Structure formats: C-alpha cells, structure tokens
Amino acid sequence: MIHYREAVNVLDYDPESGEFFWKKRISNRIHVGDKAGRISTDGYVIIGVMKALYYGHRLAWLMFTGEWPKDQIDHKNGDRADNRIRNLREATNADNCQNKRIASTSNKSTKLLGCYFHKPSGKFRAAIGINGKNRHLGYFDTPDQAHAKYVEAKRELHRFCQI
C-alpha cells in the first residue's frame, strides 16, 4: 500500500468546503482541478490514490494539521460526507459512538436511540451506556417520552454529544 503522504502530494484540500481537488494528474481520467473522491455506500468520502483508498476525513485532518490522526476522526454534525475542518475532531471510539444519531437495526421496536419497548412492564424503557455500563433511565408511556429522557441524559453525560 502506498503511504498516505503520497495523497498529500497529489491533492489539494479546501478546509472551508471540506472538498478535495486534484493538483497532479495521476491517470488519464483525472485532470488537474477536478474534484477528488466519491461517497461510499456508508456515506463517507473516499479517495483513491495509487491503488490505495483513503477516507476524506482522515486526509483532511492530515492536510490541515500535518499529522495523521492518532485514533478516530469524528464528524461533529453526524454528516459523514462533511469534511470541513470545523466539523472534524479527534476522538476515541467511545467518544465517536456518543455522537451516534441513528438507532441500531437491532432496535426495531421504536427506531429511536436510547429506548425500546419493555414487554414485562408494557412500557418504553430508556437507558444510556456510560463507561461500558448500561444505566437505566426509567419507564415511559410513549417512545417519544423515553427518547426525550435519553437525549436529556446524553447531553448531560457525553462530552461529544451534539443532539
């Protein structure tokens, strides 16, 4: 695999727009000044350079700070394709998960973060994960009430929460 520094030699990055442009022609399909990258199936910008694929947010961090990210890069607003530098920050996996906005596919009962239907009580249970432990927030008559309690707790407890 080509070292990520090779990408810096052939790409320009605009930190205000978060977009990448080719500054060197590396194939017959690429022209200097063309926008670089595409949106992957999971919503991230990916850019192919010399048979290697790179995530745009990681390249943006490198090109703006001069350093490859030590861990993960979080998109503050949750938009995986928004690579403006003001929307990016270094984060741990736990920090990055705190900024999650869409419920997992396993939560089929409400499709809302932090709550699910609790059959034994006949109510909607709200819960939040903190330091690997699940904290019970209460039972509620509606999924919206349970989700509201979850959002309240998330704002209070998670330092990266943008909800």
Side-chain angles (χ1 to χ4, degrees):
M1 181 167 123
I2 303 298
H3 196 266
Y4 57 80
R5 293 257 178 216
E6 182 63 28
V8 174
N9 295 330
V10 298
L11 291 169
D12 278 324
Y13 168 66
D14 178 359
E16 290 300 312
S17 70
E19 294 181 331
F20 294 86
F21 302 92
W22 295 105
K23 68 180 178 183
K24 289 187 181 176
R25 190 169 187 184
I26 61 171
S27 79
N28 290 335
R29 295 182 299 152
I30 293 171
H31 296 89
V32 173
D34 284 353
K35 190 173 169 183
R38 65 177 173 83
I39 306 294
S40 67
T41 56
D42 57 358
Y44 291 103
V45 171
I46 54 171
I47 303 169
V49 179
M50 309 298 276
K51 297 183 181 178
L53 289 176
Y54 299 98
Y55 284 110
H57 55 281
R58 297 184 70 76
L59 287 175
W61 193 262
L62 168 68
M63 294 174 84
F64 190 79
T65 67
E67 296 181 10
W68 191 249
K70 293 173 189 67
D71 200 346
Q72 295 184 11
I73 298 295
D74 179 44
H75 293 83
K76 294 177 191 177
N77 68 3
D79 181 351
R80 295 173 169 180
D82 183 354
N83 291 319
R84 295 172 298 154
I85 199 65
R86 69 176 173 260
N87 186 45
L88 303 177
R89 61 183 162 210
E90 280 194 296
T92 64
N93 185 57
D95 292 333
N96 209 350
C97 288
Q98 290 171 10
N99 205 18
K100 193 173 168 184
R101 285 175 166 70
I102 299 169
S104 69
T105 55
S106 63
N107 183 0
K108 293 181 174 110
S109 64
T110 67
K111 295 188 173 55
L112 295 171
L113 278 174
C115 66
Y116 65 93
F117 184 71
H118 184 252
K119 284 182 185 179
S121 68
K123 294 190 178 251
F124 293 89
R125 181 176 186 250
I128 191 166
I130 301 172
N131 297 327
K133 306 264 186 201
N134 200 13
R135 179 192 263 179
H136 174 73
L137 299 173
Y139 295 104
F140 301 87
D141 293 328
T142 70
D144 289 333
Q145 291 170 333
H147 178 67
K149 182 65 175 178
Y150 167 79
V151 169
E152 176 186 319
K154 187 171 180 124
R155 284 188 180 132
E156 180 183 320
L157 299 169
H158 290 164
R159 69 185 180 111
F160 276 149
C161 177
Q162 298 291 314
I163 291 178

